[in-house]
């Protein structure tokens, strides 16, 4: 592996910045004094990295991306906050990721192996898991939490403070204003649940029996003849032997009262037509 660091003569790297081995910084990049760039990162040109930003090993950042800009939050008082980006992320053209807010978490965290397509935006104080894909123009408001293996379609906006669970799939051009449970598909403005992400579950290697159990749990939890709270309490007993079903149940009961994306009122619950 190449350990030589190459910085184009037109790039500006301010004193105090920490640059790892094998880093390549292309033309007209600007690196601020509090930035840490770990080994084998490549900035292709016209990239701006500012604030207390750390870029993990092996990331590739394309032109016009801006990483570590101050939060777009009127409550921010100007204190030092941070942005951490995990290893091996691909950050395409025009992507923006902001640092945290000094009156809140103070930290924005991006996991490893993410794929952030052109003009995606991650706002202040967000927490994003590993192996995510944000299609072009996908946007997070502040304080959003995204689990592992989540896919967010192009031009989709996620409202501030919303949570999206592991292995969920959010369709393009959606407006997500409520929490999306793990393993679910959500689509629309405002986004509603359209069943489970069966294709994603199969690709993840989940056994057929576990998928069928998840489907039963999904129907059980969203049975309209009882309240969601009642269903979740009963599901905790009914599906105690299923770690995958319990992941949904714990997600729905771990943060007190929350607004959730729900199946459409007249829709068949779990209407995914793919045969598990």
């Amino acid at each position: 592996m190449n350990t030589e660091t190459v910085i184009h003569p037109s790039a500006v790297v301010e004193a105090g910045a920490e640059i790892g081995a094998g880093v390549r910084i292309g033309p007209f990049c600007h690196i601020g004094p509090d930035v840490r760039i770990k080994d084998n990162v490549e900035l292709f040109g016209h990239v701006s990295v500012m604030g207390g930003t750390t870029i993990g090993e092996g990331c590739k950042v394309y032109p016009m991306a801006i990483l570590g800009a101050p939060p777009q939050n009127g409550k921010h008082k100007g204190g030092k906050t941070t942005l951490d980006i995990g290893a091996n992320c691909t950050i395409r053209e025009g992507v923006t990721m902001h640092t945290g807010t000094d009156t809140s978490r103070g930290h924005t965290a991006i996991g490893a192996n993410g794929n952030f397509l052109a003009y995606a935006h991650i706002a202040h104080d967000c927490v994003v898991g590993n192996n995510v894909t944000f299609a072009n123009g996908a946007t997070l408001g502040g304080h959003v939490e995204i689990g592992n293996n989540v896919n967010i379609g192009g031009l989709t906006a996620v409202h501030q403070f919303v949570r999206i669970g592991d292995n969920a799939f959010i369709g393009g051009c959606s407006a997500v204003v409520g929490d999306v449970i793990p393993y679910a598909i959500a689509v629309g403005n405002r986004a509603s649940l359209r069943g489970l992400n069966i294709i994603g579950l199969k690709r993840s290697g989940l056994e057929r029996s576990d998928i069928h159990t998840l489907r039963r749990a999904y129907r059980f939890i969203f049975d309209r003849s009882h309240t969601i709270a009642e269903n979740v309490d009963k599901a905790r007993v009914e599906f105690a032997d299923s770690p995958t079903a319990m992941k949904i149940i714990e997600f729905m009961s771990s943060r007190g009262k929350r607004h959730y994306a729900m199946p459409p009122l007249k829709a068949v619950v779990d209407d995914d037509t793919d045969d598990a």
Side-chain angles (χ1 to χ4, degrees):
M1 184 172 291
N2 183 20
T3 59
E4 181 184 3
T5 293
V6 178
I7 301 175
H8 192 276
S10 66
V12 175
V13 179
E14 296 193 34
E18 298 180 21
I19 309 298
V23 171
R24 302 181 68 85
I25 299 177
F28 302 105
C29 291
H30 179 227
I31 311 302
D34 298 320
V35 169
R36 295 179 62 211
I37 298 178
K38 296 188 177 180
D39 296 349
N40 300 305
V41 169
E42 186 165 7
L43 311 182
F44 287 99
H46 293 273
V47 173
S48 181
V49 189
M50 59 185 72
T53 296
T54 298
I55 302 178
E57 294 88 345
C59 288
K60 296 183 182 299
V61 186
Y62 284 76
M64 311 311 293
I66 300 176
L67 308 177
Q72 296 176 141
N73 186 341
K75 295 180 180 180
H76 183 61
K77 305 303 180 184
K80 287 189 175 182
T81 56
T82 58
L83 165 68
D84 280 350
I85 301 170
N88 301 312
C89 288
T90 298
I91 299 171
R92 294 301 302 254
E93 300 85 350
V95 169
T96 50
M97 299 178 178
H98 290 173
T99 58
T101 304
D102 57 10
T103 56
S104 182
R105 182 182 284 125
H107 179 63
T108 303
I110 314 297
N113 305 309
N115 192 16
F116 302 93
L117 303 189
Y119 303 103
H121 172 68
I122 296 174
H124 57 86
D125 303 290
C126 288
V127 176
V128 177
N130 300 320
N131 306 305
V132 302
T133 297
F134 285 38
N136 298 61
T139 296
L140 304 186
H143 311 277
V144 167
E145 297 180 17
I146 305 292
N148 298 320
N149 309 306
V150 170
N151 282 266
I152 301 181
L155 303 178
T156 285
V158 181
H159 195 276
Q160 55 261 42
F161 293 100
V162 161
R163 299 180 301 155
I164 297 178
D166 292 349
N167 299 91
F169 182 94
I170 312 299
C173 297
S174 296
V176 185
V177 298
D179 290 0
V180 177
I181 62 170
Y183 311 116
I185 294 173
V187 181
N189 181 8
R190 301 308 198 235
S192 59
L193 299 186
R194 306 302 173 92
L196 294 173
N197 182 14
I198 300 298
I199 293 174
L201 291 171
K202 287 180 176 180
R203 288 175 177 170
S204 71
L206 198 67
E207 296 291 336
R208 180 185 292 266
S209 59
D210 291 327
I211 293 174
H212 283 301
T213 300
L214 273 180
R215 278 183 149 162
R216 285 199 302 111
Y218 183 98
R219 294 187 179 100
F220 191 103
I221 290 168
F222 293 107
D223 178 1
R224 298 281 184 166
S225 63
H226 303 281
T227 68
I228 295 297
E230 289 173 332
N231 291 343
V232 169
D233 285 343
K234 293 176 182 177
R236 187 179 297 278
V237 177
E238 180 74 16
F239 298 97
D241 294 333
S242 171
T244 49
M246 287 302 298
K247 193 168 188 176
I248 295 176
I249 294 161
E250 293 297 337
F251 180 89
M252 298 186 74
S253 57
S254 62
R255 290 281 295 273
K257 292 184 177 181
R258 301 286 300 177
H259 173 54
Y260 290 95
M262 300 281 288
L265 192 58
K266 296 183 179 180
V268 176
V269 175
D270 185 23
D271 59 0
D272 193 304
T273 57
D274 186 72
D275 183 11

